Amino acid sequence: MSKLPLKNVKGEQVGDYEVADNLLVLDRGDHTVHEAIVAYNANQRLGTASTLRKWEVNGSGKKPWKQKGLGRARAGYKQSNVWRGGHVAHGPQPRSYNKSLTKKAARLAFQRAFSAKVDQGEVTVIDQLNVATPKTKEFAAVLMNLGLDRGALIVVDQTSDNLLLASRNIQRVEVATAQLVNTYQILRYKNVIITKAGMEALEKRLG
């Protein structure tokens, strides 16, 4: 069993939270984590960059000037890519950057990333996180009590409007649910704070 510190919103340790060793993976999955991060970043790209090709540029097919006798370079059409207003040679076109990852690989990557955080002592469990009002000041006080001056990922069982509104103006802080948090989010932040209810939901996902 691995023990995680269990604290309250005042930053006081009220016990330990035990995580079963069979939920943690420390001996494999490093390359799968890399593939998951690459796939996540690739899937964020819209792939909408687009430039005009030769037949898409307005203009006639008339030769700008005759081939010989003028001392100029040869020119065949005004849509040439070397002319201003012409087409773009080998320019980007709309495409999909999506990369797929099997469910088994995605689960292994998430397990490996979370296990690394647990092994490095960067995961803290809090008994509950209830924000009464959508005030940034109230949420910032909780972060200060927990000593989170470098930002953190907050994982909860279910989000509330007050929690989302109170946390959105604080830099380097992100709130996610245990069902939707991904490998990239786990590794992006040094500190991961999970509510007790969120941890129970996360264990079901890991198991």
Side-chain angles (χ1 to χ4, degrees):
M1 302 290 285
S2 298
K3 292 185 178 181
L4 302 175
L6 177 61
K7 299 183 178 181
N8 56 24
V9 292
K10 296 181 180 180
E12 303 167 344
Q13 185 159 346
V14 294
D16 295 316
Y17 189 96
E18 294 185 345
V19 181
D21 291 336
N22 63 332
L23 298 180
L24 304 179
V25 177
L26 294 171
D27 57 345
R28 58 193 173 91
D30 289 343
H31 182 67
T32 311
V33 171
H34 170 75
E35 290 181 335
I37 298 300
V38 170
Y40 177 84
N41 287 326
N43 294 341
Q44 302 309 302
R45 301 183 66 177
L46 296 178
T48 55
S50 180
T51 54
L52 294 180
R53 288 168 285 188
K54 181 169 67 174
W55 59 88
E56 296 173 326
V57 178
N58 289 331
S60 69
K62 180 183 178 182
K63 192 173 176 64
W65 51 74
K66 66 179 184 177
Q67 184 82 348
K68 294 179 179 293
L70 298 180
R72 302 179 185 176
R74 293 172 291 185
Y77 53 93
K78 294 183 178 180
Q79 297 91 334
S80 172
N81 62 298
V82 300
W83 281 31
R84 181 178 180 181
H87 78 277
V88 178
H90 311 294
Q93 292 296 314
R95 54 163 291 190
S96 173
Y97 290 92
N98 286 353
K99 292 182 179 293
S100 61
L101 203 65
T102 64
K103 291 182 179 179
K104 186 176 180 179
R107 180 186 174 193
L108 175 60
F110 184 78
Q111 282 182 306
R112 182 66 182 92
F114 181 75
S115 301
K117 285 292 184 181
V118 172
D119 187 56
Q120 295 167 6
E122 297 175 348
V123 177
T124 302
V125 181
I126 56 177
D127 53 2
Q128 60 181 355
L129 181 59
N130 296 324
V131 181
T133 59
K135 298 292 185 180
T136 303
K137 183 178 180 180
E138 182 179 349
F139 186 76
V142 175
L143 298 180
M144 185 177 298
N145 293 337
L146 295 173
L148 302 176
D149 55 343
R150 296 179 61 184
L153 172 66
I154 312 295
V155 181
V156 296
D157 180 26
Q158 293 182 345
T159 58
S160 64
D161 291 340
N162 286 346
L163 178 59
L164 294 176
L165 291 172
S167 62
R168 67 179 181 178
N169 287 334
I170 301 179
Q171 294 183 349
R172 302 186 300 276
V173 170
E174 185 174 355
V175 177
T177 62
Q179 294 297 330
L180 298 179
V181 64
N182 57 53
T183 304
Y184 177 81
Q185 291 172 310
I186 291 290
L187 296 179
R188 182 183 181 187
Y189 299 91
K190 177 175 176 58
N191 298 301
V192 179
I193 308 301
I194 311 176
T195 62
K196 190 175 180 180
M199 192 65 199
E200 293 172 353
L202 201 59
E203 284 180 329
K204 294 180 181 179
R205 179 179 170 186
L206 292 171

